[in-house]
Amino acid sequence: MARISVDEGFCKGCGLCVDACPTHIIELDQERITAKGYHPAHCIDQLKCTGCCSCAVMCPDVAISVWR
């Protein structure tokens, strides 16, 4: 089963991964703020992740890892 993990130490909350996800399972967490002051991205439904890596490819800060 594919899944993603977001390193919140690198995530700037730019939202590029949100737009790139074909299954629309990534969103910015509006309830959390990182130590750097950003709303981090997170996966809302790991079971729907296809492991396509679109989010990881789009991330300018290499904050997303995809596990297959």
Side-chain angles (χ1 to χ4, degrees):
M1 199 74 189
R3 65 180 177 88
I4 69 164
S5 63
V6 178
D7 185 338
E8 294 182 3
F10 291 109
C11 180
K12 292 188 300 194
C14 67
L16 292 174
C17 58
V18 175
D19 295 333
C21 181
T23 55
H24 309 289
I25 59 169
I26 302 174
E27 65 181 24
L28 298 181
D29 190 347
Q30 297 300 319
E31 296 180 9
R32 297 194 53 230
I33 297 178
T34 64
K36 294 181 180 179
Y38 302 115
H39 293 285
H42 74 285
C43 181
I44 57 173
D45 191 350
Q46 292 282 6
L47 296 176
K48 291 183 181 176
C49 182
T50 62
C52 70
C53 296
S54 294
C55 57
V57 170
M58 287 302 295
C59 183
D61 299 305
V62 195
I64 300 175
S65 298
V66 179
W67 306 93
R68 296 183 195 173

